[in-house]
Amino acid sequence: MSKTYYIETFGCQMNEYDSEKICGLLNTEGYVEISQRDQADLIIFNTCLIRENAENKLYGKLGEVKKVKRLNPNTIIAVCGCIPQNQEIREKILTKYPFIDLVFGTNTYDQLPELLYDITQSQKKIIAIEENSDDLIEAIPKVRKFHHKGFVNIMYGCNNFCAYCVVPYTRGRERSRNRQDIIDEVTELANSGYKEITLLGQNVNSYGNDLQGSYFFPDLLRELNEISGLERIRYMTSHPKDVNDDFIAAIKDCNKVCNHIHLPVQSGSSKVLKEMNRKYTKEDYLAFVEKAKREIPNLSFSTDFIVGFPGETEEDFEETLALVRQVRFDAAFTFIYSVRPGTSAGKREDQIPDTIKHERFDRLLKTLYPIFESNNKACIGHDYTVLVDDVSKNKPDYLTGRTECHRLVHFKGDASLIGQVVKVHITKARTWYMEGNLI
Ligand code: SAH
Ligand code: SF4
Ligand code: F3S
């Protein structure tokens, strides 16, 4: 009988994609994925360390599976991803949850088949972590979640050391993938019917900086745009310090590159941005947005904010609100600053009290939401091409998809349209989505 596994993924697209590769490796080994966690022979948690609540999610899950392990001691419990990359936390969880059998990291998941073999042979706990790797993990089979859109890594790691962030410690330094490997992966996806790809990297706009050559992110966009069959090219994440005129020109010239940029600003105060080590000012950010909007028709912008970074004053926060009103973002991820192990901001004495952080967070949402709604309302009466993703969770006879500019659209339609590009006439708009009719 086949062995079964259950995997749960926390964190960003990078982790989602690593999980698709972990599933690919396990399937090649004859394992079968199941959705009933407590019945699986192997339970994997692919973890995230970005904020305290991401970390706490793992502890909750480990508390739950303790019983599973007691009832069935042969179940293998594995923890992988970003959390075990931190030595202190890794040691803490191994002490607190001694029933964990296997720990592997962001640079070692490709060894999973051997690690599982070793566990069954030795019956011992195995820890496989490489702190910082120069290797690129290539040619891993993947179990892709969707058959019409997929992720493609273009680079790994991050060199930026933003003062609040653990990613440079969990993912190591920037390593760009070889251009031909990326082109081949995208071509293969397009040939098997994929319509949309999302190029992944912590900082896609620095693609190529570590390679010996003069081939950079805009060049990659232009080359991928030529791949036939493909309809949409997305990418994330762009760092405001690395965006430039070549990038704007590539989006403008390439019909498949979507008219949406996710450009995390974090704060509207140049003083806070300097302390965050973001390497751009509020003025730089605004100048880019203005120029890009002028050059690229119907361009939409989404962003990330951190509220309550150490030392953030009321005036600094007001500048964030002013920037929101000026840019009029189409969507945003909003985060309350969370102290992270090993980061420079975590050591600062001038942490902002929780009550102030929450109060500012609420004010940020109150400023953002009416803008999202009004931007969506401006789409009423217009027609958009929508890539159909799935059946709507709440209304079974409805479908959901995204416009090119990444707005979420719900409309009535048959499930056979999943994976197709359709036209929708927008009739209604809310803060987070729009509704319309198929035309
Ligand atoms: N590489 C991307 C995203 C990294 S993590 C980038 O540079 O934009 C995604 C988001 O999590 C960040 O943009 C930031 O807004 C948020 N984040 C990271 N560390 C955080 C922390 N310690 N507390 C709160 N939010 C954080
Ligand atoms: Fe973290 Fe900054 Fe790197 Fe993004 S650019 S992953 S926020 S250190
Ligand atoms: Fe989390 Fe690691 Fe991504 S810390 S946000 S899963 S890179």
Side-chain angles (χ1 to χ4, degrees):
M1 235 178 55
S2 303
K3 294 232 178 215
T4 58
Y5 72 96
Y6 169 90
I7 183 162
E8 198 163 333
T9 309
F10 308 98
C12 64
Q13 279 89 350
M14 208 59 85
N15 253 19
E16 298 276 345
Y17 192 32
D18 287 352
S19 286
E20 292 187 353
K21 297 179 197 166
I22 290 170
C23 294
L25 283 167
L26 289 171
N27 289 13
T28 329
E29 293 298 303
Y31 276 80
V32 174
E33 185 176 5
I34 60 170
S35 55
Q36 302 93 335
R37 183 188 67 196
D38 299 355
Q39 264 117 62
D41 298 309
L42 166 65
I43 300 177
I44 305 178
F45 297 115
N46 191 3
T47 64
C48 172
L49 190 64
I50 199 83
R51 284 169 291 274
E52 198 182 352
N53 53 7
E55 202 184 323
N56 288 339
K57 270 189 203 153
L58 173 69
Y59 304 145
K61 297 289 168 185
L62 288 174
E64 288 169 30
V65 294
K66 188 176 173 185
K67 202 174 81 209
V68 179
K69 185 75 181 173
R70 206 171 47 226
L71 293 173
N72 184 1
N74 290 331
T75 310
I76 297 175
I77 311 278
V79 173
C80 67
C82 287
I83 289 186
Q85 289 293 133
N86 180 296
Q87 189 187 351
E88 212 175 299
I89 301 186
R90 180 169 75 237
E91 283 165 7
K92 190 178 93 183
I93 57 178
L94 283 166
T95 313
K96 193 158 174 220
Y97 306 96
F99 56 85
I100 296 172
D101 301 285
L102 172 62
V103 174
F104 57 102
T106 52
N107 298 319
T108 45
Y109 62 84
D110 57 322
Q111 299 165 17
L112 185 56
E114 297 101 89
L115 298 172
L116 287 169
Y117 178 79
D118 291 349
I119 285 198
T120 46
Q121 293 300 302
S122 68
Q123 309 278 331
K124 280 201 194 116
K125 194 186 291 290
I126 292 194
I127 291 133
I129 298 286
E130 270 176 40
E131 296 279 335
N132 213 337
S133 169
D134 291 336
D135 293 344
L136 294 178
I137 302 179
E138 289 291 347
I140 300 276
K142 295 145 196 121
V143 175
R144 295 195 177 265
K145 190 170 165 195
F146 294 102
H147 299 288
H148 62 281
K149 60 174 187 180
F151 299 129
V152 175
N153 278 126
I154 64 165
M155 57 195 302
Y156 301 94
C158 180
N159 286 353
N160 294 317
F161 292 93
C162 298
Y164 48 81
C165 183
V166 288
V167 173
Y169 308 97
T170 65
R171 296 272 169 178
R173 293 301 71 71
E174 277 177 9
R175 283 102 67 204
S176 297
R177 269 182 89 192
N178 177 289
R179 158 193 161 274
Q180 193 60 48
D181 289 332
I182 301 170
I183 308 279
D184 289 348
E185 188 173 338
V186 176
T187 308
E188 199 185 308
L189 288 173
N191 288 344
S192 37
Y194 280 74
K195 302 255 165 53
E196 179 182 293
I197 51 142
T198 301
L199 306 172
L200 290 185
Q202 292 300 343
N203 182 5
V204 288
N205 292 73
S206 68
Y207 175 80
N209 290 354
D210 58 321
L211 300 176
Q212 313 306 322
S214 52
Y215 187 89
F216 299 107
F217 187 57
D219 305 308
L220 183 65
L221 289 177
R222 287 179 190 277
E223 207 170 352
L224 294 174
N225 194 59
E226 299 304 316
I227 295 177
S228 64
L230 195 66
E231 299 205 20
R232 286 179 171 185
I233 301 170
R234 299 190 185 280
Y235 47 85
M236 71 187 308
T237 303
S238 293
H239 192 306
K241 81 176 167 56
D242 294 308
V243 293
N244 55 26
D245 290 351
D246 282 351
F247 174 51
I248 295 180
I251 305 174
K252 197 173 158 185
D253 294 344
C254 297
N255 61 325
K256 295 175 184 172
V257 175
C258 291
N259 56 359
H260 163 235
I261 307 179
H262 183 66
L263 195 65
V265 66
Q266 316 298 1
S267 166
S269 149
S270 294
K271 180 205 98 190
V272 172
L273 289 170
K274 187 156 199 296
E275 292 177 16
M276 287 177 164
N277 194 28
R278 290 290 287 180
K279 302 190 182 83
Y280 55 87
T281 61
K282 168 180 80 176
E283 289 76 20
D284 296 333
Y285 189 92
L286 289 170
F288 175 81
V289 169
E290 200 187 303
K291 188 163 192 183
K293 281 193 173 176
R294 208 168 47 228
E295 298 276 328
I296 305 162
N298 302 317
L299 180 64
S300 75
F301 270 99
S302 57
T303 197
D304 294 350
F305 291 103
I306 296 180
V307 169
F309 183 78
E312 182 190 71
T313 62
E314 176 57 27
E315 290 71 36
D316 293 324
F317 178 66
E318 292 281 348
E319 285 197 74
T320 298
L321 297 182
L323 180 124
V324 167
R325 291 188 200 101
Q326 196 165 342
V327 177
R328 298 187 60 80
F329 293 100
D330 297 285
F333 296 110
T334 46
F335 306 108
I336 290 177
Y337 170 74
S338 168
V339 171
R340 296 288 67 210
T343 60
S344 59
K347 298 183 188 80
R348 285 178 59 161
E349 309 245 301
D350 51 352
Q351 301 291 332
I352 306 294
D354 277 354
T355 46
I356 297 185
K357 284 195 216 172
H358 282 100
E359 183 264 337
R360 287 183 189 162
F361 185 74
D362 291 344
R363 274 160 65 204
L364 176 61
L365 299 189
K366 279 204 185 96
T367 310
L368 282 167
Y369 287 174
I371 294 174
F372 297 164
E373 190 175 341
S374 121
N375 288 353
N376 281 345
K377 284 220 154 93
C379 300
I380 294 177
H382 297 274
D383 302 341
Y384 289 87
T385 55
V386 171
L387 177 60
V388 186
D389 281 325
D390 217 334
V391 174
S392 163
K393 280 201 189 80
N394 306 327
K395 295 185 196 165
D397 51 341
Y398 272 69
L399 300 172
T400 78
R402 297 244 173 210
T403 63
E404 192 197 320
C405 53
H406 211 239
R407 294 177 200 282
L408 186 63
V409 183
H410 300 308
F411 55 99
K412 229 181 186 150
D414 187 79
S416 60
L417 292 174
I418 293 172
Q420 306 287 316
V421 176
V422 298
K423 270 227 144 135
V424 178
H425 181 77
I426 303 301
T427 53
K428 249 194 207 173
R430 300 271 185 266
T431 308
W432 291 107
Y433 66 92
M434 316 194 291
E435 277 185 24
N437 302 320
L438 259 179
I439 49 175

